[in-house]
């Protein structure tokens, strides 16, 4: 589903194969569902969040939402679209949902939900489905007694389209099989973006250049792969004087076998998704360029494959990162932090940013700690961390929670023979110790400006949840896009 269109017509005057009705807060008395109340009751429809009920004879599908708030409406709209999948309805219509007369936040979420819920990944299916929804027509008929202000509503929809399409773009990259999406392919995807968008520019480092930069950690991880690593630097320069400069670093492990500390078979499956952070960075730059945000944004992706072989880096190796710090390798499966160490150093050397974020499927411990739907956010400064939390939980409808650093966990990374170990000596607090490891590669100047986002849980889930389909979710994209939009407005953080 790629098209959402606005109609300055009453809902009843719009032609469509099916109408989508969101039943908000189990209120079966609202105008949209008054006539079908009895049918819904007979069908056992309760109006629970994301519960759907298709009434083909009435040409309507009903979906429950706990409230009119963005996150509930986004999820409900997505579930309705998903429930229509494969049924042959091509054009749907629905009213515009709003929580407040002047606020288009819910409408934006509604549109995002429709586009996110309509996502399908069919690259490897020999038979592509042709029975899917093509269009949703949204009526500007007033809702809840609120008349819509048309230009504001249209802007909300336009932004929804950009952020949802960027998310779906990232889902496509992440879902792609590891032998079809290796570091050079990631770089070529960035090149395509740079070619299309005049305000994006691209620089890609090859191993020879990375050697000159002293990136001993990243290069060690990459060594056993038949695919060369790439460091992708995709940047966006706005037309006007930027109100801020932001760097975003992404972990782009196109495959993580664990290396010589090989993953058990069951844990290796889905590790094509270890490129989720890097892929999100590409999607964010695409959205930023399309939204013409007045912010200078730099994306850095460490695209690497972690494999085994005679040339593989080993536990016991000592590596030297770009900033000169030496690292004792005790587990080759803690490779993301090694790659990020060098990319973070490079990003800070290249750009003196007001904010530095990194997105990474960094630790299984984060998934254990906070569940598979939520990201863990860490840092030394409260401000960037709070910005991420607010953008995620309040604006984007992604779930993120803070994980606190402390000096005792920092000590567990001590090495007897090098400056630091790549794993901690305790089995507890793995998400935080990984974050603290990254912290060792943040310079004084950027300490208070950095936030690390561990997306290991939400980036890839093997069932559909809310607005997310089975597989890649595009985690982090909507959060960072909303964060940047807010920054562009000059809003203080909460
Ligand atoms: N890519 C994994 C983390 C991961 C696990 C992402 C599950 C998504 C789902 C990372 O490179 C890794 O293997 N981390 C190790 C670290 C350990 C060796 C200290 C882990 O979490 O087990
Ligand atoms: Zn790993
Ligand atoms: Zn990994």
């Amino acid at each position: 589903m790629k098209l959402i269109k606005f109609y300055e017509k009453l809902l009843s005057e719009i032609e469509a194969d099916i109408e989508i009705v969101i039943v908000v807060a189990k209120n079966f008395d609202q105008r949209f569902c008054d006539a079908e109340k009895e049918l819904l009751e007979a069908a056992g429809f309760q109006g629970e969040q994301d519960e759907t009920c298709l009434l083909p004879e009435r040409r309507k599908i009903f979906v429950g939402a706990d409230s009119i708030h963005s996150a509930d409406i986004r999820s409900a709209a997505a579930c309705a679209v998903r429930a229509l999948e494969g049924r042959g309805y091509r054009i749907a219509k629905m009213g515009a949902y709003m929580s407040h007369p002047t606020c288009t936040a819910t409408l934006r979420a509604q549109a995002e939900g429709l586009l996110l819920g309509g996502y399908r990944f069919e690259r490897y299916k020999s038979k592509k489905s042709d029975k899917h929804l093509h269009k949703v027509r949204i009526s500007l008929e007033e809702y809840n007694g609120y008349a819509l202000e048309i230009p504001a509503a249209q802007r909300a929809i336009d932004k929804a389209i950009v952020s949802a399409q960027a998310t779906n773009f990232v889902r496509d990259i992440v879902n792609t099989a590891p032998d079809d999406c290796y570091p050079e392919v990631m770089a070529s995807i960035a090149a395509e973006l740079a070619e299309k968008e005049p305000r994006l520019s691209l620089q890609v480092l090859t191993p020879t250049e990375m050697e000159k930069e002293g990136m001993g950690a990243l290069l060690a991880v990459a060594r056993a792969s038949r695919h060369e690593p790439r460091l992708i630097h995709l940047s966006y320069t706005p037309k006007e004087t930027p109100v801020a400069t932001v760097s975003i670093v992404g972990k782009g492990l196109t495959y993580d076998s664990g290396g010589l500390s090989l993953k058990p078979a069951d844990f290796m499956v889905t590790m094509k998704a270890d490129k989720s952070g890097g892929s999100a960075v590409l999607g964010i730059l695409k959205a930023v360029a399309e939204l013409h945000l007045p912010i200078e944004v730099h994306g850095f992706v460490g695209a690497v494959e972690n494999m085994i072989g005679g040339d593989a880096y080993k536990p016991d190796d000592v590596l030297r990162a770009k900033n000169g710090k030496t690292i004792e390798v005790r587990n080759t499966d803690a490779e993301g932090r090694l790659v990020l160490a060098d990319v973070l150093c490079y990003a800070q050397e290249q750009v003196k940013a007001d904010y530095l974020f990194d997105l990474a499927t960094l630790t299984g411990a984060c998934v254990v700690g906070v569940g598979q739907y939520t990201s863990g956010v860490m840092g030394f400064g409260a401000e960037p961390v709070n910005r991420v939390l607010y953008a995620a939980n309040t604006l984007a409808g992604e779930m993120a929670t803070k994980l606190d650093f402390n000096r005792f966990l920092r000590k567990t990374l001590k090495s007897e023979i090098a400056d630091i170990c790549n794993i901690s000596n305790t089995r507890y607090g793995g998400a935080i110790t990984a974050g603290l490891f990254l912290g060792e590669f943040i310079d004084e100047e950027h300490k208070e400006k950095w936030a690390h986002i561990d997306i290991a849980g939400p980036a890839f889930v093997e069932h559909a949840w809310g607005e997310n389909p089975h597989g890649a979710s595009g985690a982090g994209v909507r959060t960072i896009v909303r964060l940047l939009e807010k920054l562009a407005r000059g809003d203080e953080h909460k």
Side-chain angles (χ1 to χ4, degrees):
M1 219 278 294
K2 288 219 164 91
L3 279 171
I4 294 186
K5 274 231 166 102
F6 242 155
Y7 284 76
E8 288 182 58
K9 277 186 182 175
L10 291 179
L11 196 53
S12 57
E13 290 167 358
I14 297 176
E15 272 185 48
D17 305 324
I18 187 103
E19 179 182 336
I20 300 171
V21 179
I22 304 181
V23 179
V24 180
K26 300 194 169 69
N27 175 12
F28 290 91
D29 291 326
Q30 61 180 354
R31 175 170 47 85
F32 294 131
C33 49
D34 226 15
E36 286 86 9
K37 237 163 110 175
E38 273 170 29
L39 282 173
L40 289 171
E41 204 168 292
F45 179 68
Q46 307 273 323
E48 301 284 348
Q49 175 72 45
D50 298 346
E51 181 191 354
T52 58
C53 183
L54 177 65
L55 298 180
E57 63 280 41
R58 308 286 302 183
R59 291 181 169 242
K60 285 190 182 184
I61 182 165
F62 292 81
V63 59
D66 283 344
S67 77
I68 186 73
H69 295 310
S70 303
D72 292 343
I73 296 296
R74 187 184 290 104
S75 181
C79 289
V81 171
R82 211 181 294 132
L84 291 175
E85 187 60 49
R87 295 182 182 275
Y89 298 107
R90 296 177 71 78
I91 301 175
K93 64 175 178 180
M94 70 190 302
Y97 288 79
M98 292 181 82
S99 58
H100 188 270
T102 56
C103 176
T104 52
T106 299
L107 178 59
R108 174 168 177 176
Q110 176 187 345
E112 279 178 0
L114 295 171
L115 293 165
L116 295 169
Y119 174 81
R120 278 162 299 122
F121 182 67
E122 293 190 317
R123 176 166 172 165
Y124 300 109
K125 295 277 187 198
S126 32
K127 245 193 159 168
K128 322 258 189 242
S129 132
D130 55 358
K131 286 191 163 179
H132 50 260
L133 207 57
H134 281 242
K135 247 185 234 179
V136 180
R137 297 174 168 162
I138 298 182
S139 162
L140 281 178
E141 187 178 336
E142 51 122 53
Y143 168 76
N144 245 357
Y146 302 148
L148 282 172
E149 201 202 299
I150 295 161
Q154 187 59 55
R155 274 198 303 277
I157 301 264
D158 290 344
K159 286 183 193 163
I161 293 172
V162 171
S163 55
Q165 284 182 347
T167 306
N168 289 342
F169 165 83
V170 173
R171 289 171 173 180
D172 275 343
I173 302 174
V174 175
N175 282 325
T176 300
D179 248 30
D180 293 326
C181 185
Y182 42 87
E184 283 174 88
V185 175
M186 295 264 307
S188 71
I189 295 170
E192 269 171 48
L193 285 179
E195 204 153 291
K196 242 189 259 159
E197 288 288 346
R199 309 217 69 87
L200 287 181
S201 56
L202 176 69
Q203 209 194 343
V204 177
L205 302 197
T206 59
T208 327
E209 288 153 323
M210 289 190 252
E211 238 154 69
K212 279 189 210 136
E213 293 286 341
M215 299 183 176
L218 184 156
L219 287 167
V221 176
R223 220 164 55 205
S225 171
R226 72 193 174 93
H227 299 297
E228 277 189 1
R230 291 288 183 267
L231 196 162
I232 301 163
H233 178 188
L234 183 62
S235 46
Y236 165 77
T237 321
K239 228 191 248 135
E240 57 275 75
T241 319
V243 300
T245 302
V246 178
S247 288
I248 311 157
V249 169
K251 169 175 173 179
L253 264 289
T254 58
Y255 203 69
D256 180 13
S257 69
L260 289 180
S261 315
L262 196 64
K263 284 185 185 293
D266 289 351
F267 288 72
M268 205 183 296
V269 204
T270 75
M271 278 303 141
K272 65 174 181 184
D274 217 18
K275 57 184 180 298
S276 295
S279 308
V281 168
L282 300 182
I284 291 162
L285 266 292
K286 172 176 153 49
V288 165
E290 288 172 4
L291 291 169
H292 311 289
L293 292 184
I295 300 182
E296 185 177 318
V297 185
H298 294 267
F300 296 89
V301 181
V304 181
E305 191 182 54
N306 185 21
M307 296 299 284
I308 56 172
D311 195 27
Y313 84 122
K314 316 165 185 69
D316 288 345
D317 274 346
V318 175
L319 315 175
R320 184 183 298 273
K322 179 170 163 54
N323 68 350
K325 284 200 182 172
T326 56
I327 307 166
E328 177 187 350
V329 176
R330 293 183 71 90
N331 190 315
T332 61
D333 197 10
E335 84 300 334
R337 60 195 79 182
L338 298 172
V339 171
L340 287 177
D342 279 336
V343 182
L344 282 166
C345 290
Y346 182 75
Q348 293 169 95
E349 192 182 85
Q350 292 287 307
V351 181
K352 303 299 166 212
D354 299 307
Y355 292 96
L356 170 62
F357 300 108
D358 76 74
L359 289 160
T361 46
L362 205 60
T363 65
C366 193
V367 194
V368 173
V370 305
Q372 70 267 49
Y373 309 111
T374 305
S375 297
V377 188
M378 290 151 258
F380 298 110
E383 206 251 11
V385 170
N386 287 338
R387 275 196 187 271
V388 173
L389 296 176
Y390 182 78
N393 298 310
T394 309
L395 303 173
E398 295 196 78
M399 289 184 285
T401 191
K402 189 170 91 161
L403 301 175
D404 282 327
F405 284 163
N406 66 65
R407 64 193 165 92
F408 304 103
L409 282 174
R410 166 64 190 88
K411 280 192 205 148
T412 68
L413 288 165
K414 276 218 169 103
S415 165
E416 293 295 329
I417 64 158
D419 297 335
I420 192 169
C421 279
N422 82 325
I423 57 166
S424 90
N425 63 19
T426 158
R427 36 202 212 93
Y428 305 117
I432 296 171
T433 50
L436 283 164
F437 179 93
L438 298 182
E440 291 299 305
F441 300 87
I442 304 295
D443 56 35
E444 248 351 277
E445 200 182 337
H446 288 93
K447 272 252 143 80
E448 300 277 323
K449 301 175 174 175
W450 167 66
H452 157 59
I453 309 165
D454 192 331
I455 56 169
F460 197 95
V461 178
E462 288 190 281
H463 56 250
W465 51 292
E467 61 273 23
N468 303 289
H470 166 276
S473 68
V477 174
R478 283 180 292 128
T479 293
I480 299 293
V481 169
R482 292 305 280 255
L483 184 154
L484 295 172
E485 282 183 55
K486 187 166 151 64
L487 208 57
R489 289 194 299 270
D491 293 5
E492 289 291 306
H493 79 281
K494 278 209 17 170

